[in-house]
Amino acid sequence: MTSTMGTGDTRVRTPSVPNSAVAALRASFGGQVVGPADAGYEEHRRVWNGSIDRRPALIARCTGVDDVRTAVRFGREQQLTVAVRGGGHSFPGLSTCDGGLLIDLRPMNGVRVDPGARVAGVQAGALLGELDQRTQEHGLAVPSGIVSHTGVAGLTLGGGIGWVMRKYGLTVDSLESVDLVTADGEFVRAGEDENAELFWGLRGGGGNFGVVTDFRFRLHPLGPQVMAGATFWSMDEAERVLRAYRDWIADCPDELMTIVVQRLAPALPVVPAELVGRPVIAVVACYAGDVDEGEEVLRPMRGFGSPVLDLFAPKPYVVHQQMFDPSFRHGCWYYVRSCDVAALTDEVIGVVAEHGRRITSPLSSIALWQMGGAVARVPDDATAFSGRSAGFTFNINGNTATADGFDDQRQWARDYWTALAPFHTGVYVNFLMEEGGTRVRQAYGDTKYRRLSALKRAYDPSNFFRLNQNVPPG
Ligand code: FAD
């Protein structure tokens, strides 16, 4: 018996591992092998989403490529379900499992920056904050995501959207090559000139093709100071604010990247006590260019109507990158629904205004991402990532601190998403929960899905790596 559940399901049962095999693994492994009886097991089995509570039989905490190869071969020999973890921020908890082998890359978090050549080598266990810190020492950056404790690996393998994408493209658009351990435990490198089809699939196709051990990125000049922050209005103003926002961004430069947020005003030191807990709509932005120019571009929106709070200021890019960190703490209960839409039509604005008013949890929120710019200028078939022509991406988060009230927030997120259904144009694969094979196919579209499926057959015909947004071998 190897699995009791369907493809991609993390609640699988696997056979128990003989003690002699575990002892042999420990003897040949550079890092730690942690079992349920070992110190640290409780800490290392946890993932970011507190609603996911799974217990792997073994956690292989890798220190390098050799450990990854050893772990993959062990998992295969023992017929274990294998989960692979970078930063552990998969919304549906795909980077852990019950009873199988967890290949934990977190100890491999080195970042090597060559400022002259403008490239960075990044090990697969690094977090965005670790990458930003090292690159910003040289006034350089890799376009990445907006919460600094997210993993570089999972984010990159799905595409990578963030504050400077409209200027410099997706994270995958700055990827030069990757090192990977295949399902057979073999080491391969993929780039434009080497295993090009695999490289195409890795730029959006997730963890389907192997365990990436190292990424090599091109770096771009940025900051270190940027004009960034947020302006808040009362949620009652949502329709007016969104219409003004739509007009304001219509002709904006690529340097400007915005996200509209709806939530209850958070209890943070920068938020006045009388505002905390009140429903607000905010335009959050980062200007990836000259600070004074950014101030000019932002002025009309910041001056619109009667804002209740304005937090825009020149600041270090690394500080802005951490702005959302307190809103997405480890261990809270998280649920997300996501979709792309083509435009902020009056109908879409109506849905946003109506459902935003129904937020009741201090941790629930929506992020409405402005797409376009450099992302849309890369040909759609250049990478496996889909959604380059999206106008906006919705990320609707029904979150609570504990299990208490979680069902209600999840339902709120589902209702919001369902109300947007007439306008859905696609979905970003990294914002999917475990929503089934049809949704994964929708995320890629039929043509790319078939191409990914053929690639899967070439690199992982037995679907050994299936705890991901799974594309089964075609
Ligand atoms: P993990 O849970 O470790 O892994 C996620 C998936 O990738 C799993 O299937 C795992 O097996 C696989 N995987 C991980 N590492 C490897 C590897 N080395 N080789 C092969 N497969 C691997 N996305 C954005 O694009 N932009 C954002 O700004 C953004 N913000 C986010 C903020 C938060 C708080 C969260 C929770 C998510 C955010 N996301 C964002 C989505 C994010 O990109 C995905 O959740 C991503 O999968 C997280 O990567 P990770 O390494 O932390 O996850």
Side-chain angles (χ1 to χ4, degrees):
M1 175 193 72
T2 50
S3 164
T4 56
M5 309 288 277
T7 297
D9 199 299
T10 46
R11 289 148 297 188
V12 286
R13 270 190 254 131
T14 47
S16 58
V17 188
N19 288 340
S20 57
V22 177
L25 173 66
R26 286 201 157 110
S28 61
F29 202 72
Q32 275 178 301
V33 177
V34 184
D38 296 322
Y41 178 78
E42 281 305 313
E43 178 196 342
H44 298 311
R45 81 176 180 88
R46 296 269 170 214
V47 287
W48 165 82
N49 187 344
S51 76
I52 310 293
D53 184 18
R54 298 192 182 129
R55 305 184 67 84
L58 286 175
I59 304 172
R61 307 203 70 231
C62 302
T63 55
V65 175
D66 287 347
D67 278 355
V68 175
R69 295 183 71 184
T70 302
V72 166
R73 287 183 173 145
F74 180 82
R76 185 173 274 290
E77 280 156 20
Q78 299 298 324
Q79 298 180 41
L80 295 171
T81 298
V82 167
V84 179
R85 180 191 299 166
H89 276 47
S90 155
F91 282 103
L94 290 169
S95 52
T96 185
C97 53
D98 268 335
L101 172 68
L102 168 55
I103 299 180
D104 183 0
L105 304 167
R106 184 66 189 114
M108 297 166 56
N109 66 346
V111 177
R112 309 169 306 277
V113 178
D114 180 342
R118 288 202 173 164
V119 290
V122 184
Q123 284 188 300
L127 305 183
L128 303 189
E130 292 163 342
L131 173 59
D132 288 339
Q133 201 68 46
R134 294 300 315 279
T135 53
Q136 279 288 278
E137 284 166 12
H138 307 279
L140 298 169
V142 178
S144 69
I146 63 166
V147 173
S148 77
H149 47 71
T150 312
V152 171
L155 178 132
T156 303
L157 292 170
I161 64 176
W163 284 123
V164 299
M165 68 173 164
R166 288 173 36 79
K167 169 87 174 153
Y168 291 128
L170 301 168
T171 310
V172 285
D173 297 334
S174 293
L175 195 56
E176 290 210 324
S177 65
V178 302
D179 293 348
L180 176 112
V181 173
T182 65
D184 292 332
E186 297 303 323
F187 177 83
V188 295
R189 182 158 291 171
E192 291 288 4
D193 303 324
E194 201 175 359
N195 297 309
E197 184 66 7
L198 176 61
F199 188 54
W200 175 86
L202 288 166
R203 286 173 292 164
N208 274 289
F209 309 108
V211 184
V212 173
T213 55
D214 220 277
F215 298 88
R216 190 176 153 92
F217 291 106
R218 273 185 302 283
L219 299 172
H220 307 274
L222 184 72
Q225 289 286 110
V226 290
M227 181 67 191
T231 303
F232 295 73
W233 295 262
S234 164
M235 192 79 86
D236 299 337
E237 300 288 320
E239 295 207 52
R240 289 182 59 228
V241 168
L242 286 167
R243 290 210 175 98
Y245 165 78
R246 178 178 63 191
D247 295 344
W248 173 61
I249 59 167
D251 293 315
C252 70
D254 290 351
E255 282 76 9
L256 181 72
M257 167 62 201
T258 60
I259 297 178
V260 174
V261 170
Q262 290 174 298
R263 60 167 304 156
L264 304 181
L268 294 174
V270 289
V271 178
E274 64 275 13
L275 193 59
V276 172
R278 278 176 47 196
V280 287
I281 183 162
V283 173
V284 192
C286 178
Y287 195 82
D290 179 74
V291 168
D292 293 336
E293 203 177 276
E295 188 139 19
E296 274 307 303
V297 170
L298 286 158
R299 196 187 307 275
M301 194 70 231
R302 292 170 70 194
F304 176 78
S306 310
V308 291
L309 182 63
D310 186 287
L311 298 175
F312 277 105
K315 62 184 71 164
Y317 174 68
V318 289
V319 170
H320 185 61
Q321 281 287 83
Q322 295 162 19
M323 174 182 178
F324 286 118
D325 288 9
S327 303
F328 294 94
R329 300 190 312 267
H330 289 79
C332 295
W333 283 47
Y334 294 101
Y335 180 79
V336 69
R337 294 301 305 217
S338 180
C339 60
D340 295 342
V341 299
L344 272 190
T345 59
D346 287 350
E347 291 82 2
V348 171
I349 288 176
V351 172
V352 174
E354 183 190 339
H355 288 266
R357 279 195 287 272
R358 298 187 189 163
I359 297 179
T360 53
S361 164
L363 294 182
S364 289
S365 64
I366 74 125
L368 173 57
W369 299 63
Q370 176 195 6
M371 302 297 291
V375 175
R377 283 195 292 275
V378 174
D380 184 64
D381 62 0
T383 61
F385 174 87
S386 289
R388 288 186 184 276
S389 59
F392 297 86
T393 292
F394 273 92
N395 187 295
I396 307 164
N397 292 276
N399 308 335
T400 49
T402 62
D404 211 17
F406 187 60
D407 289 353
D408 289 347
Q409 294 310 306
R410 190 170 47 191
Q411 194 56 48
W412 167 79
R414 285 176 176 155
D415 291 346
Y416 197 139
W417 180 85
T418 304
L420 287 167
F423 317 104
H424 290 181
T425 56
V427 62
Y428 173 31
V429 73
N430 269 353
F431 289 166
L432 283 176
M433 295 299 286
E434 270 189 286
E435 298 176 35
T438 307
R439 288 283 285 157
V440 178
R441 197 176 184 118
Q442 277 172 10
Y444 292 114
D446 284 344
T447 307
K448 283 189 185 176
Y449 188 86
R450 277 196 298 273
R451 189 168 164 186
L452 286 167
S453 190
L455 192 61
K456 179 78 170 175
R457 188 176 62 231
Y459 281 92
D460 184 14
S462 68
N463 207 2
F464 179 71
F465 297 113
R466 65 178 182 278
L467 297 187
N468 40 49
Q469 298 297 351
N470 195 235
V471 179

